[in-house]
Each structure stands twice: as C-alpha cells, then as structure tokens.
Coordinates of all heavy atoms in Angstrom, one line a residue:
M1 N 11.4 7.8 21.0 CA 11.7 7.0 19.9 C 10.4 6.7 19.1 O 9.4 6.3 19.6 CB 12.4 5.7 20.3 CG 12.7 4.8 19.2 SD 13.6 3.3 19.8 CE 14.0 2.5 18.2
T2 N 10.5 6.8 17.8 CA 9.4 6.5 16.9 C 9.2 5.0 16.7 O 10.2 4.3 16.5 CB 9.6 7.2 15.5 OG1 9.8 8.6 15.7 CG2 8.5 6.9 14.6
S3 N 8.0 4.6 16.9 CA 7.6 3.2 16.6 C 6.5 3.2 15.6 O 5.8 4.2 15.4 CB 7.3 2.4 17.9 OG 6.2 3.0 18.5
C4 N 6.2 2.0 15.1 CA 5.1 1.9 14.0 C 3.8 2.1 14.7 O 3.4 1.4 15.6 CB 5.3 0.5 13.4 SG 3.9 0.2 12.2
P5 N 2.9 3.0 14.2 CA 1.6 3.1 14.7 C 0.7 1.9 14.5 O -0.2 1.6 15.3 CB 1.0 4.3 13.9 CG 2.1 5.0 13.2 CD 3.2 3.9 13.1
R6 N 1.0 1.1 13.5 CA 0.2 -0.1 13.2 C 0.6 -1.3 14.0 O -0.2 -2.0 14.6 CB 0.2 -0.4 11.7 CG -0.7 -1.6 11.4 CD -1.0 -1.6 9.9 NE 0.1 -2.0 9.1 CZ 0.1 -2.3 7.8 NH1 -1.1 -2.2 7.2 NH2 1.1 -2.6 7.1
C7 N 1.9 -1.5 14.2 CA 2.3 -2.8 14.8 C 3.3 -2.6 16.0 O 3.7 -3.6 16.6 CB 2.9 -3.8 13.8 SG 4.6 -3.4 13.3
T8 N 3.7 -1.4 16.3 CA 4.6 -1.0 17.4 C 6.0 -1.4 17.2 O 6.8 -1.3 18.1 CB 4.1 -1.5 18.8 OG1 4.3 -2.9 18.9 CG2 2.6 -1.1 19.0
F9 N 6.4 -1.9 16.1 CA 7.8 -2.3 15.8 C 8.7 -1.0 15.9 O 8.3 0.1 15.5 CB 7.9 -2.9 14.4 CG 9.2 -3.6 14.2 CD1 9.5 -4.7 14.9 CD2 10.0 -3.2 13.1 CE1 10.6 -5.5 14.7 CE2 11.2 -4.0 12.9 CZ 11.5 -5.1 13.6
E10 N 9.8 -1.2 16.5 CA 10.6 0.0 16.8 C 11.7 0.3 15.8 O 12.4 1.3 15.9 CB 11.2 -0.1 18.2 CG 10.1 -0.1 19.3 CD 10.7 0.0 20.7 OE1 11.9 -0.2 20.9 OE2 9.9 0.2 21.6
T11 N 11.8 -0.5 14.7 CA 12.7 -0.2 13.6 C 12.0 0.5 12.5 O 11.2 -0.1 11.8 CB 13.4 -1.4 13.1 OG1 14.2 -2.0 14.2 CG2 14.4 -1.1 12.0
V12 N 12.2 1.8 12.4 CA 11.4 2.6 11.5 C 12.5 3.3 10.6 O 13.4 4.0 11.1 CB 10.5 3.6 12.2 CG1 9.9 4.6 11.2 CG2 9.4 2.9 12.9
D13 N 12.3 3.2 9.3 CA 13.3 3.8 8.4 C 12.7 5.1 7.8 O 11.5 5.2 7.6 CB 13.6 2.9 7.2 CG 14.3 1.7 7.6 OD1 15.1 1.7 8.6 OD2 14.1 0.6 7.0
T14 N 13.5 6.1 7.5 CA 13.1 7.3 6.9 C 13.3 7.1 5.4 O 14.4 6.9 4.9 CB 14.0 8.5 7.3 OG1 13.8 8.7 8.7 CG2 13.5 9.8 6.6
L15 N 12.2 7.1 4.6 CA 12.2 6.9 3.2 C 12.5 8.2 2.5 O 13.3 8.2 1.5 CB 10.9 6.4 2.6 CG 10.4 5.0 3.1 CD1 9.2 4.6 2.4 CD2 11.5 4.0 2.9
H16 N 11.9 9.3 2.9 CA 12.1 10.6 2.3 C 12.0 11.7 3.3 O 11.3 11.5 4.3 CB 11.1 10.9 1.2 CG 11.1 9.9 0.1 ND1 12.0 9.9 -0.9 CD2 10.3 8.9 -0.2 CE1 11.8 8.9 -1.8 NE2 10.7 8.3 -1.4
S17 N 12.6 12.8 3.0 CA 12.5 14.0 3.9 C 12.1 15.1 3.0 O 12.4 15.2 1.8 CB 13.8 14.3 4.6 OG 14.1 13.2 5.5
S18 N 11.4 16.1 3.6 CA 10.9 17.3 2.8 C 12.0 18.0 2.2 O 13.1 18.1 2.7 CB 10.1 18.2 3.8 OG 10.9 18.6 4.9
P19 N 11.8 18.6 1.0 CA 12.8 19.4 0.4 C 13.3 20.6 1.3 O 14.5 20.9 1.3 CB 12.1 20.0 -0.9 CG 11.0 19.1 -1.1 CD 10.5 18.6 0.2
V20 N 12.4 21.1 2.0 CA 12.7 22.1 3.0 C 13.0 21.3 4.3 O 12.1 20.7 4.9 CB 11.6 23.2 3.3 CG1 12.0 24.1 4.4 CG2 11.3 23.9 2.0
P21 N 14.2 21.3 4.8 CA 14.6 20.4 5.9 C 13.7 20.7 7.1 O 13.4 21.8 7.5 CB 16.1 20.8 6.2 CG 16.6 21.3 4.9 CD 15.4 22.0 4.3
G22 N 13.3 19.5 7.8 CA 12.7 19.6 9.0 C 11.2 19.8 9.0 O 10.5 19.9 10.0
V23 N 10.6 19.8 7.8 CA 9.1 20.0 7.7 C 8.4 18.7 7.8 O 7.4 18.6 8.6 CB 8.7 20.7 6.3 CG1 7.2 20.8 6.2 CG2 9.4 22.1 6.2
W24 N 8.8 17.7 7.1 CA 8.2 16.3 7.3 C 9.2 15.3 6.8 O 10.1 15.5 6.1 CB 6.9 16.2 6.5 CG 6.9 16.6 5.0 CD1 6.5 17.8 4.5 CD2 7.4 15.9 3.9 NE1 6.7 17.8 3.2 CE2 7.2 16.6 2.8 CE3 8.0 14.6 3.8 CZ2 7.6 16.2 1.5 CZ3 8.4 14.1 2.5 CH2 8.2 15.0 1.4
D25 N 8.9 14.1 7.3 CA 9.6 12.9 6.8 C 8.6 11.8 6.5 O 7.5 11.8 7.0 CB 10.5 12.3 7.9 CG 11.6 13.2 8.3 OD1 12.4 13.7 7.4 OD2 11.7 13.6 9.5
V26 N 8.9 11.0 5.5 CA 8.1 9.8 5.2 C 8.8 8.6 5.8 O 10.0 8.3 5.5 CB 7.9 9.6 3.7 CG1 7.2 8.3 3.4 CG2 7.2 10.7 3.1
L27 N 8.1 7.9 6.8 CA 8.7 6.8 7.5 C 8.0 5.5 7.1 O 6.9 5.5 6.7 CB 8.5 7.1 9.0 CG 8.9 8.4 9.6 CD1 8.6 8.6 11.1 CD2 10.4 8.6 9.4
Q28 N 8.8 4.5 7.3 CA 8.3 3.1 7.0 C 8.7 2.1 8.0 O 9.9 2.1 8.4 CB 8.8 2.6 5.6 CG 8.1 1.3 5.2 CD 8.6 0.9 3.8 OE1 9.7 0.8 3.5 NE2 7.6 0.6 3.0
C29 N 7.7 1.3 8.5 CA 8.0 0.3 9.4 C 8.8 -0.8 8.8 O 8.5 -1.3 7.7 CB 6.6 -0.3 9.9 SG 6.8 -1.7 11.0
G30 N 9.8 -1.3 9.6 CA 10.7 -2.4 9.1 C 10.0 -3.7 9.2 O 10.6 -4.7 8.6
R31 N 8.9 -3.9 9.8 CA 8.2 -5.2 9.9 C 7.0 -5.3 9.0 O 6.9 -6.2 8.2 CB 7.8 -5.4 11.4 CG 7.1 -6.8 11.6 CD 7.1 -7.2 13.0 NE 6.3 -6.3 13.8 CZ 6.2 -6.4 15.1 NH1 6.8 -7.4 15.8 NH2 5.5 -5.5 15.8
C32 N 6.0 -4.4 9.2 CA 4.8 -4.5 8.5 C 4.7 -3.6 7.2 O 3.8 -3.7 6.5 CB 3.6 -4.2 9.4 SG 3.3 -2.5 9.7
L33 N 5.7 -2.8 7.0 CA 5.9 -1.9 5.9 C 4.9 -0.8 5.9 O 4.8 0.0 4.9 CB 5.8 -2.7 4.6 CG 6.9 -3.8 4.4 CD1 6.7 -4.5 3.1 CD2 8.3 -3.3 4.7
Y34 N 4.1 -0.6 6.9 CA 3.3 0.6 7.0 C 4.1 1.9 6.8 O 5.2 2.0 7.3 CB 2.6 0.7 8.4 CG 1.7 1.8 8.6 CD1 0.5 1.9 7.9 CD2 2.0 2.9 9.4 CE1 -0.4 3.0 8.1 CE2 1.2 4.0 9.6 CZ 0.0 4.0 9.0 OH -0.8 5.1 9.1
T35 N 3.6 2.8 6.0 CA 4.3 4.0 5.6 C 3.5 5.2 5.9 O 2.3 5.2 5.6 CB 4.7 3.9 4.1 OG1 5.4 2.7 3.9 CG2 5.5 5.1 3.7
W36 N 4.1 6.2 6.5 CA 3.3 7.4 6.8 C 4.2 8.6 6.8 O 5.4 8.5 6.8 CB 2.6 7.3 8.2 CG 3.6 7.3 9.4 CD1 3.9 8.3 10.2 CD2 4.4 6.2 9.9 NE1 4.8 8.0 11.1 CE2 5.1 6.6 11.0 CE3 4.5 4.8 9.5 CZ2 6.0 5.8 11.7 CZ3 5.4 4.0 10.2 CH2 6.1 4.5 11.3
R37 N 3.5 9.8 6.6 CA 4.3 11.0 6.7 C 4.0 11.6 8.0 O 2.9 11.6 8.5 CB 3.8 11.9 5.5 CG 4.6 13.2 5.4 CD 4.4 14.0 4.1 NE 3.0 14.3 4.0 CZ 2.5 14.9 2.9 NH1 3.3 15.1 1.8 NH2 1.3 15.2 2.8
T38 N 5.0 12.2 8.6 CA 5.0 12.7 9.9 C 3.9 13.8 10.1 O 3.5 14.1 11.2 CB 6.3 13.2 10.4 OG1 6.8 14.2 9.5 CG2 7.3 12.1 10.5
T39 N 3.5 14.5 9.0 CA 2.5 15.5 9.1 C 1.1 15.0 9.0 O 0.1 15.8 9.1 CB 2.7 16.6 8.1 OG1 2.8 16.0 6.8 CG2 4.0 17.4 8.3
E40 N 0.9 13.7 8.9 CA -0.5 13.1 8.9 C -1.1 13.2 10.3 O -0.4 13.3 11.3 CB -0.4 11.7 8.3 CG -0.1 11.6 6.9 CD -0.2 10.2 6.4 OE1 -1.3 9.7 6.1 OE2 0.9 9.6 6.2
P41 N -2.4 13.1 10.3 CA -3.1 13.2 11.6 C -2.7 12.1 12.6 O -2.2 11.1 12.2 CB -4.6 13.2 11.3 CG -4.7 12.8 9.9 CD -3.4 13.0 9.2
A42 N -3.0 12.3 13.8 CA -2.6 11.4 14.9 C -3.1 10.0 14.6 O -2.5 9.0 14.9 CB -3.1 11.9 16.2
R43 N -4.3 9.9 14.0 CA -4.9 8.5 13.8 C -4.1 7.8 12.7 O -4.3 6.6 12.5 CB -6.3 8.7 13.3 CG -6.5 9.3 11.9 CD -8.0 9.4 11.5 NE -8.2 9.9 10.2 CZ -8.1 11.2 9.8 NH1 -7.9 12.1 10.8 NH2 -8.3 11.5 8.6
R44 N -3.1 8.4 12.1 CA -2.2 7.7 11.1 C -0.8 7.6 11.6 O 0.0 6.9 11.0 CB -2.2 8.5 9.8 CG -3.6 8.5 9.1 CD -4.0 7.2 8.5 NE -5.4 7.3 8.0 CZ -6.4 6.8 8.6 NH1 -6.3 6.2 9.8 NH2 -7.6 6.8 8.1
T45 N -0.5 8.4 12.6 CA 0.9 8.5 13.0 C 1.2 8.0 14.5 O 2.4 7.9 14.8 CB 1.4 9.9 12.9 OG1 0.6 10.8 13.7 CG2 1.3 10.4 11.4
Q46 N 0.2 7.9 15.3 CA 0.4 7.5 16.7 C -0.4 6.3 17.1 O -1.6 6.2 16.8 CB 0.0 8.7 17.6 CG 0.9 9.9 17.3 CD 0.4 11.1 18.1 OE1 -0.3 11.0 19.2 NE2 0.7 12.3 17.6
R47 N 0.3 5.4 17.7 CA -0.4 4.1 18.1 C -1.6 4.3 18.9 O -2.7 3.7 18.7 CB 0.6 3.2 18.9 CG 0.0 1.9 19.4 CD -0.3 1.0 18.3 NE -0.6 -0.4 18.8 CZ -0.8 -1.4 18.0 NH1 -0.7 -1.3 16.7 NH2 -1.1 -2.6 18.5
D48 N -1.6 5.2 19.9 CA -2.7 5.5 20.8 C -4.0 5.9 20.0 O -5.1 5.6 20.4 CB -2.4 6.5 21.8 CG -1.4 6.0 22.8 OD1 -1.1 4.8 22.8 OD2 -0.8 6.8 23.6
A49 N -3.8 6.6 18.9 CA -4.9 7.1 18.1 C -5.2 6.3 16.9 O -6.2 6.5 16.2 CB -4.6 8.6 17.7
Y50 N -4.3 5.3 16.6 CA -4.5 4.5 15.4 C -5.7 3.6 15.6 O -5.9 3.0 16.7 CB -3.2 3.6 15.2 CG -3.1 3.0 13.8 CD1 -2.7 3.7 12.8 CD2 -3.5 1.7 13.6 CE1 -2.6 3.2 11.5 CE2 -3.4 1.1 12.4 CZ -2.9 1.9 11.3 OH -2.8 1.3 10.1
P51 N -6.6 3.5 14.6 CA -7.8 2.8 14.8 C -7.6 1.3 15.2 O -6.8 0.6 14.6 CB -8.5 2.8 13.4 CG -7.8 4.0 12.7 CD -6.5 4.1 13.3
E52 N -8.3 0.9 16.2 CA -8.1 -0.4 16.8 C -8.3 -1.5 15.8 O -7.6 -2.5 15.8 CB -9.0 -0.6 18.0 CG -8.6 0.2 19.2 CD -9.4 -0.2 20.5 OE1 -9.9 -1.4 20.6 OE2 -9.6 0.7 21.4
G53 N -9.2 -1.3 14.9 CA -9.5 -2.4 13.9 C -8.4 -2.7 13.0 O -8.4 -3.7 12.3
F54 N -7.5 -1.7 12.8 CA -6.4 -1.8 11.9 C -5.0 -2.1 12.6 O -4.0 -2.2 12.0 CB -6.3 -0.6 11.0 CG -7.4 -0.4 10.1 CD1 -8.4 0.5 10.4 CD2 -7.6 -1.2 9.0 CE1 -9.5 0.7 9.5 CE2 -8.7 -1.1 8.1 CZ -9.6 -0.1 8.4
R55 N -5.0 -2.2 13.9 CA -3.8 -2.4 14.6 C -3.4 -3.9 14.4 O -4.2 -4.8 14.3 CB -4.0 -2.2 16.1 CG -4.2 -0.7 16.4 CD -4.4 -0.5 17.9 NE -4.8 0.9 18.2 CZ -5.0 1.4 19.4 NH1 -4.8 0.6 20.5 NH2 -5.4 2.6 19.6
L56 N -2.0 -4.1 14.4 CA -1.5 -5.4 14.2 C -0.5 -5.7 15.4 O 0.1 -4.8 15.9 CB -0.7 -5.5 12.9 CG -1.5 -5.4 11.6 CD1 -0.5 -5.4 10.4 CD2 -2.5 -6.5 11.5
T57 N -0.4 -7.0 15.7 CA 0.6 -7.4 16.7 C 1.5 -8.4 15.9 O 1.2 -8.8 14.8 CB -0.1 -8.2 17.8 OG1 -0.7 -9.4 17.3 CG2 -1.1 -7.4 18.5
A58 N 2.7 -8.7 16.5 CA 3.6 -9.6 15.9 C 2.9 -10.9 15.6 O 3.1 -11.6 14.6 CB 4.8 -9.8 16.8
E59 N 2.0 -11.3 16.5 CA 1.3 -12.6 16.3 C 0.3 -12.5 15.1 O 0.2 -13.4 14.3 CB 0.5 -12.9 17.6 CG -0.2 -14.3 17.5 CD -1.0 -14.6 18.8 OE1 -1.6 -13.7 19.3 OE2 -0.9 -15.7 19.3
D60 N -0.4 -11.3 14.9 CA -1.2 -11.1 13.8 C -0.4 -11.3 12.5 O -0.9 -11.9 11.5 CB -1.8 -9.7 13.8 CG -2.8 -9.5 14.9 OD1 -3.4 -10.5 15.4 OD2 -3.0 -8.3 15.3
I61 N 0.8 -10.7 12.5 CA 1.6 -10.7 11.2 C 2.0 -12.2 11.0 O 2.0 -12.6 9.8 CB 2.7 -9.8 11.4 CG1 2.2 -8.3 11.4 CG2 3.7 -9.9 10.2 CD1 3.2 -7.3 11.8
A62 N 2.5 -12.9 12.0 CA 3.0 -14.2 11.8 C 1.9 -15.2 11.3 O 2.1 -16.1 10.6 CB 3.5 -14.8 13.1
N63 N 0.6 -14.9 11.7 CA -0.5 -15.8 11.4 C -1.3 -15.2 10.2 O -2.4 -15.8 9.9 CB -1.4 -15.9 12.6 CG -0.7 -16.7 13.7 OD1 0.1 -17.6 13.5 ND2 -0.9 -16.3 14.9
A64 N -0.8 -14.2 9.5 CA -1.6 -13.6 8.4 C -1.7 -14.6 7.3 O -0.7 -15.4 7.0 CB -0.9 -12.3 7.9
P65 N -2.8 -14.7 6.6 CA -3.0 -15.6 5.5 C -2.1 -15.2 4.4 O -1.7 -14.0 4.2 CB -4.4 -15.5 5.1 CG -4.9 -14.2 5.6 CD -4.1 -13.9 6.9
E66 N -1.7 -16.2 3.6 CA -0.8 -15.9 2.5 C -1.5 -15.1 1.4 O -2.7 -15.3 1.1 CB -0.4 -17.3 1.8 CG 0.6 -17.1 0.6 CD 1.0 -18.4 0.1 OE1 0.7 -19.5 0.7 OE2 1.5 -18.4 -1.0
V67 N -0.8 -14.1 0.9 CA -1.4 -13.3 -0.1 C -1.4 -14.1 -1.4 O -0.3 -14.6 -1.8 CB -0.6 -12.0 -0.3 CG1 -1.2 -11.1 -1.4 CG2 -0.7 -11.2 1.0
P68 N -2.5 -14.2 -2.1 CA -2.5 -15.0 -3.3 C -1.7 -14.4 -4.4 O -1.6 -13.2 -4.5 CB -4.0 -15.1 -3.7 CG -4.7 -14.0 -3.0 CD -3.8 -13.7 -1.8
T69 N -1.1 -15.2 -5.2 CA -0.2 -14.7 -6.3 C -1.1 -14.3 -7.4 O -2.3 -14.6 -7.5 CB 0.7 -15.9 -6.8 OG1 -0.1 -16.9 -7.2 CG2 1.7 -16.3 -5.8
V70 N -0.5 -13.5 -8.3 CA -1.3 -13.0 -9.5 C -1.5 -14.2 -10.4 O -0.5 -14.9 -10.7 CB -0.5 -11.9 -10.2 CG1 -1.2 -11.5 -11.5 CG2 -0.3 -10.7 -9.3
P71 N -2.7 -14.5 -10.8 CA -2.9 -15.6 -11.7 C -2.3 -15.5 -13.1 O -2.0 -14.3 -13.5 CB -4.5 -15.7 -11.8 CG -4.9 -14.3 -11.5 CD -3.9 -13.7 -10.6
P72 N -2.1 -16.6 -13.8 CA -1.6 -16.5 -15.1 C -2.5 -15.8 -16.1 O -3.7 -15.7 -15.8 CB -1.3 -17.9 -15.5 CG -2.2 -18.7 -14.7 CD -2.4 -17.9 -13.4
L73 N -2.1 -15.3 -17.2 CA -2.9 -14.7 -18.2 C -3.9 -15.7 -18.7 O -3.7 -16.9 -18.7 CB -2.1 -14.1 -19.3 CG -1.1 -13.0 -19.0 CD1 -0.2 -12.7 -20.2 CD2 -1.9 -11.8 -18.5
L74 N -5.1 -15.2 -19.1 CA -6.2 -16.1 -19.5 C -5.8 -16.9 -20.7 O -6.1 -18.1 -20.7 CB -7.5 -15.2 -19.8 CG -8.1 -14.6 -18.6 CD1 -9.3 -13.7 -19.0 CD2 -8.5 -15.6 -17.5
N75 N -5.2 -16.3 -21.7 CA -4.8 -17.1 -22.8 C -3.8 -16.3 -23.6 O -3.5 -15.2 -23.4 CB -6.0 -17.5 -23.7 CG -6.7 -16.3 -24.1 OD1 -6.1 -15.3 -24.7 ND2 -8.0 -16.2 -23.9
E76 N -3.2 -17.0 -24.6 CA -2.1 -16.4 -25.4 C -2.7 -15.4 -26.4 O -2.0 -14.5 -26.8 CB -1.3 -17.5 -26.1 CG -0.4 -18.3 -25.2 CD 0.6 -17.4 -24.5 OE1 1.2 -16.6 -25.2 OE2 0.8 -17.6 -23.3
I77 N -3.9 -15.5 -26.8 CA -4.5 -14.6 -27.7 C -4.5 -13.2 -27.1 O -4.0 -12.2 -27.7 CB -5.9 -15.0 -28.1 CG1 -5.9 -16.3 -28.9 CG2 -6.6 -13.9 -28.9 CD1 -7.3 -16.9 -29.2
Q78 N -5.0 -13.1 -25.9 CA -4.9 -11.7 -25.2 C -3.5 -11.2 -25.1 O -3.2 -10.1 -25.3 CB -5.6 -11.8 -23.9 CG -7.1 -11.9 -23.9 CD -7.7 -12.0 -22.5 OE1 -7.0 -12.3 -21.6 NE2 -8.9 -11.6 -22.4
H79 N -2.6 -12.2 -24.8 CA -1.2 -11.8 -24.6 C -0.6 -11.3 -25.9 O 0.3 -10.4 -25.8 CB -0.5 -13.0 -24.0 CG 0.9 -12.6 -23.5 ND1 1.1 -11.7 -22.5 CD2 2.1 -13.1 -23.9 CE1 2.3 -11.6 -22.3 NE2 3.0 -12.4 -23.1
S80 N -1.0 -11.8 -27.0 CA -0.4 -11.4 -28.3 C -1.0 -10.2 -28.9 O -0.5 -9.7 -29.9 CB -0.4 -12.6 -29.3 OG -1.8 -12.8 -29.6
Q81 N -2.1 -9.6 -28.4 CA -2.7 -8.4 -29.0 C -1.8 -7.2 -28.7 O -1.2 -7.2 -27.6 CB -4.1 -8.2 -28.3 CG -5.1 -9.2 -28.7 CD -5.6 -9.2 -30.1 OE1 -5.6 -8.1 -30.7 NE2 -5.9 -10.3 -30.7
P82 N -1.8 -6.3 -29.6 CA -1.1 -5.0 -29.3 C -1.6 -4.4 -28.1 O -2.8 -4.4 -27.8 CB -1.3 -4.2 -30.6 CG -1.8 -5.1 -31.6 CD -2.5 -6.3 -30.9
V83 N -0.8 -3.7 -27.4 CA -1.2 -3.1 -26.1 C -2.1 -1.9 -26.4 O -3.1 -1.7 -25.8 CB 0.0 -2.7 -25.3 CG1 -0.4 -1.9 -24.1 CG2 0.8 -3.9 -24.9
L84 N -1.7 -1.1 -27.4 CA -2.4 0.1 -27.8 C -3.2 -0.2 -29.1 O -2.6 -0.6 -30.1 CB -1.5 1.3 -28.0 CG -0.7 1.7 -26.7 CD1 0.2 2.8 -27.0 CD2 -1.7 2.1 -25.6
R85 N -4.5 0.1 -29.1 CA -5.3 -0.1 -30.3 C -6.5 0.9 -30.2 O -6.9 1.1 -29.1 CB -5.7 -1.5 -30.5 CG -6.5 -2.1 -29.4 CD -6.8 -3.5 -29.6 NE -7.5 -4.1 -28.5 CZ -7.8 -5.3 -28.3 NH1 -7.4 -6.2 -29.2 NH2 -8.4 -5.7 -27.2
S86 N -7.0 1.3 -31.4 CA -8.1 2.2 -31.3 C -9.4 1.4 -31.0 O -9.4 0.1 -31.2 CB -8.3 2.8 -32.7 OG -8.7 1.9 -33.6
R87 N -10.4 2.1 -30.6 CA -11.7 1.4 -30.3 C -12.3 0.7 -31.5 O -12.9 -0.3 -31.5 CB -12.7 2.4 -29.7 CG -14.0 1.7 -29.3 CD -14.8 2.6 -28.3 NE -14.2 2.6 -27.0 CZ -14.3 1.6 -26.1 NH1 -14.9 0.5 -26.4 NH2 -13.7 1.7 -25.0
A88 N -12.1 1.4 -32.7 CA -12.6 0.8 -33.9 C -12.0 -0.5 -34.2 O -12.6 -1.4 -34.9 CB -12.3 1.8 -35.1
A89 N -10.8 -0.7 -33.8 CA -10.1 -2.0 -34.0 C -10.5 -3.1 -33.0 O -10.1 -4.2 -33.1 CB -8.6 -1.8 -34.0
A90 N -11.3 -2.7 -32.1 CA -11.7 -3.7 -31.0 C -13.3 -3.7 -30.9 O -13.8 -3.3 -29.9 CB -11.1 -3.3 -29.7
P91 N -14.0 -4.1 -32.0 CA -15.4 -4.0 -32.0 C -16.1 -4.9 -31.0 O -17.2 -4.6 -30.7 CB -15.8 -4.4 -33.5 CG -14.7 -5.2 -33.9 CD -13.4 -4.7 -33.2
S92 N -15.4 -5.8 -30.5 CA -16.0 -6.7 -29.5 C -16.2 -6.1 -28.1 O -16.9 -6.6 -27.3 CB -15.2 -8.0 -29.4 OG -14.0 -7.7 -28.9
L93 N -15.5 -4.9 -27.9 CA -15.6 -4.3 -26.6 C -16.8 -3.3 -26.6 O -16.9 -2.4 -27.5 CB -14.4 -3.5 -26.3 CG -13.1 -4.4 -26.2 CD1 -11.9 -3.5 -26.0 CD2 -13.2 -5.3 -25.0
P94 N -17.8 -3.5 -25.7 CA -18.9 -2.5 -25.7 C -18.5 -1.2 -25.3 O -17.6 -1.0 -24.5 CB -19.9 -3.2 -24.7 CG -19.0 -4.0 -23.8 CD -17.8 -4.5 -24.7
H95 N -19.1 -0.2 -25.9 CA -18.9 1.2 -25.5 C -19.5 1.4 -24.1 O -20.6 1.0 -23.8 CB -19.5 2.2 -26.5 CG -19.0 3.6 -26.3 ND1 -19.6 4.4 -25.4 CD2 -18.0 4.3 -26.9 CE1 -19.0 5.6 -25.5 NE2 -18.0 5.5 -26.4
P96 N -18.8 2.2 -23.2 CA -19.3 2.4 -21.9 C -20.7 3.0 -21.8 O -21.5 2.8 -20.9 CB -18.3 3.3 -21.2 CG -17.0 3.1 -22.1 CD -17.5 2.7 -23.4
A97 N -21.1 3.8 -22.9 CA -22.4 4.5 -22.9 C -23.5 3.6 -23.3 O -24.6 3.9 -23.1 CB -22.3 5.7 -23.8
E98 N -23.2 2.4 -23.9 CA -24.2 1.5 -24.4 C -24.8 0.7 -23.3 O -24.2 0.4 -22.3 CB -23.6 0.6 -25.5 CG -23.3 1.4 -26.7 CD -22.6 0.5 -27.8 OE1 -22.4 -0.7 -27.5 OE2 -22.2 1.1 -28.8
Ligands
ZN1 ZN1 4.6 -1.9 11.5

C-alpha cells in the first residue's frame, strides 16, 4: 500500500495518470498535501529514502506554526493603477540596468 513519503499517512489520492496508461501517476497525501509523481527518485517517493530533515509526523503537523496571511495592499493608489503600462509611463521605476 502506498503511503506518504513525507508523513506516512496512508490515504493517498491519485491526482493524474499518464496519458499512456501505467507509465506514471501523480499522487497526493490526504494529510500534508505532499505531491509526487511515481517516476521521481526514491528520495522523493519512498519514506526510507526521504530526507530526514523534511520528514513530518502527525505531531509535527499538529504543532506547525500558523502560516501568515497575505497582508493587505500597501495603499489604494497602487491598487488603482492600471495593471499593464509601458515603462515610459512609470518613470519612478528604475531601469534594472541602472
Ligand atoms: Zn503526507
């Protein structure tokens, strides 16, 4: 039975399968959301070979710090600018070569 290489959870979903049947599958862990393709090397697909520094346990996941939310936009001026504009219309932006 396939389990998650990162956290050993045993509920793994198949997200995609190769156009040619049986060549590869893309799998995703139902707990930590780690995603891998079955043709990746053992260090990405098998718990025994998965790097120790990146392994997770259920306790690690339960105690993980909260991921910070995306902060609000700096101000309404930036928000109201057109998304696409020429460099000539934005003289305040330095050219990368300068
Ligand atoms: Zn996992």
Side-chain angles (χ1 to χ4, degrees):
M1 180 178 186
T2 301
S3 62
C4 175
R6 183 161 70 172
C7 78
T8 71
F9 196 60
E10 294 189 347
T11 299
V12 172
D13 295 324
T14 300
L15 295 185
H16 298 285
S17 295
S18 55
V20 176
V23 177
W24 50 260
D25 294 307
V26 174
L27 306 177
Q28 185 177 53
C29 173
R31 178 165 62 186
C32 76
L33 304 182
Y34 179 72
T35 303
W36 69 100
R37 187 166 57 187
T38 54
T39 52
E40 291 185 79
R43 68 181 185 278
R44 299 288 176 257
T45 59
Q46 296 174 24
R47 178 67 171 188
D48 290 348
Y50 197 80
E52 287 189 28
F54 293 105
R55 293 180 189 181
L56 294 176
T57 63
E59 186 178 43
D60 292 333
I61 294 168
N63 295 323
E66 181 179 349
V67 176
T69 57
V70 175
L73 295 174
L74 293 177
N75 57 54
E76 287 300 313
I77 293 173
Q78 286 182 334
H79 191 60
S80 64
Q81 294 289 326
V83 174
L84 297 175
R85 59 186 176 187
S86 70
R87 180 162 293 282
S92 63
L93 296 175
H95 190 277
E98 291 175 2

